[in-house]
């Protein structure tokens, strides 16, 4: 809502300046000498008209996106990068959103739908936390394939090779797949924590009543 108000104000301001500049330009043409250089306001008029219509187009896009979210029942959405868990290439950009009944991941031209009652956990961990788990010999036997496998090792190596310490955030989804087996989905949220956290925060209260899974070792 806040962005729409700013966009609307920007559109009105740009159109006002464009009209004002055009008026000064016309006065300069009709009354030679009344305006020192009428082409300057004309150039400004063209520029602000361009920015005004650009702002209007962005407002239209925002309105369409809002309508689409309402139609899909989207509670929250985010742009994340696929790391592991889906039959698409690593580092594929994904549009991820949560509805009242499901977690949806769109990426690589495919839409993946995961019912919330399949999800057992939704957590966010940093690359540093994953590296600590991977390199802890005491934990490697119990953390599971997602973190202690090749992907976890690769993340750990990247952390150790960093010259400057900064966190990369990962969304980890543990769920029961269609065959009844435990599966995991790993998505990268980059260096901004909220890209991953807002998905996990939306999911957690919706799965609080999901039954845990017992695994016979």
């Amino acid at each position: 809502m806040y962005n729409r108000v700013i966009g609307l104000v920007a559109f009105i301001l740009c159109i006002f300046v464009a009209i004002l500049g055009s008026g000064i330009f016309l006065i300069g043409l009709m009354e030679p000498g009344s305006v020192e250089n009428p082409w300057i306001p004309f150039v400004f008029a063209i520029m602000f008209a361009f920015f005004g219509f650009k702002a209007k187009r962005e407002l239209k896009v925002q309105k369409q996106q809002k309508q689409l979210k309402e139609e899909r029942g989207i509670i929250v959405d985010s742009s994340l990068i696929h790391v592991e868990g889906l039959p698409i290439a690593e580092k594929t950009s994904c549009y991820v959103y949560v509805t009242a009944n499901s977690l949806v991941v769109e990426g690589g031209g495919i839409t993946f739908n995961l019912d919330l009652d399949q999800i057992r956990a939704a957590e966010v961990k940093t690359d540093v936390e994953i590296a600590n788990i991977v390199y802890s010999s005491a934990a490697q036997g119990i953390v599971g394939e997602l973190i202690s496998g090749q992907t976890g090792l690769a993340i750990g190596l990247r952390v150790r090779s960093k010259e400057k310490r900064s966190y990369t955030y990962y969304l980890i989804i543990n769920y029961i797949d269609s065959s009844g087996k435990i599966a995991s989905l790993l998505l990268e949220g980059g260096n901004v924590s909220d890209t991953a956290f807002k998905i996990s925060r939306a999911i957690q209260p919706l799965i609080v009543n999901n039954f845990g899974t017992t695994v016979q070792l």
Side-chain angles (χ1 to χ4, degrees):
M1 181 65 182
Y2 181 72
N3 290 336
R4 290 192 64 192
V5 171
I6 292 178
L8 183 59
V9 171
F11 169 70
I12 294 173
L13 181 61
C14 287
I15 296 302
F16 172 76
V17 174
I19 294 173
L20 181 63
S22 299
I24 295 173
F25 172 70
L26 291 174
I27 291 173
L29 291 181
M30 295 173 64
E31 300 179 9
S34 60
V35 179
E36 185 175 346
N37 191 342
W39 289 101
I40 293 178
F42 177 73
V43 171
F44 273 97
I46 296 297
M47 289 175 55
F48 277 90
F50 169 77
F51 288 124
F53 284 107
K54 185 178 180 181
K56 183 179 180 181
R57 183 176 181 181
E58 290 177 354
L59 283 173
K60 184 178 180 181
V61 171
Q62 289 177 6
K63 184 177 180 181
Q64 291 174 340
Q65 290 176 341
K66 183 180 179 182
Q67 290 177 342
L68 182 61
K69 288 181 180 181
E70 290 176 350
E71 290 172 1
R72 293 183 176 183
I74 296 175
I75 298 172
V76 67
D77 60 349
S78 186
S79 295
L80 300 171
I81 298 173
H82 174 251
V83 178
E84 190 174 77
L86 297 175
I88 56 177
E90 185 181 354
K91 296 184 179 180
T92 297
S93 296
C94 297
Y95 175 54
V96 183
Y97 60 89
V98 179
T99 70
N101 302 308
S102 63
L103 170 68
V104 181
V105 180
E106 296 179 357
I110 306 173
T111 298
F112 301 93
N113 189 79
L114 182 62
D115 290 342
L116 291 182
D117 58 11
Q118 294 176 256
I119 299 176
R120 294 297 176 264
E123 298 181 0
V124 174
K125 290 189 180 296
T126 67
D127 52 350
V128 175
E129 289 174 317
I130 292 175
N132 289 338
I133 293 172
V134 170
Y135 288 106
S136 171
S137 58
Q140 282 185 9
I142 60 173
V143 294
E145 184 179 351
L146 176 64
I147 295 177
S148 62
Q150 294 299 317
T151 300
L153 288 172
I155 293 172
L157 288 172
R158 285 202 295 267
V159 171
R160 292 200 164 190
S161 63
K162 280 185 179 180
E163 294 182 2
K164 185 177 180 181
R165 179 56 57 90
S166 61
Y167 294 112
T168 301
Y169 295 86
Y170 292 88
L171 173 66
I172 303 173
I173 304 293
N174 294 325
Y175 66 97
I176 305 300
D177 65 16
S178 56
S179 63
K181 296 180 180 179
I182 299 173
S184 297
L185 172 61
L186 183 62
L187 299 166
E188 180 186 328
N191 301 122
V192 181
S193 62
D194 196 52
T195 53
F197 269 114
K198 63 182 179 180
I199 297 295
S200 66
R201 283 196 298 261
I203 292 175
Q204 286 168 357
L206 299 175
I207 64 171
V208 68
N209 293 323
N210 288 4
F211 294 105
T213 300
T214 300
V215 178
Q216 181 64 45
L217 300 178

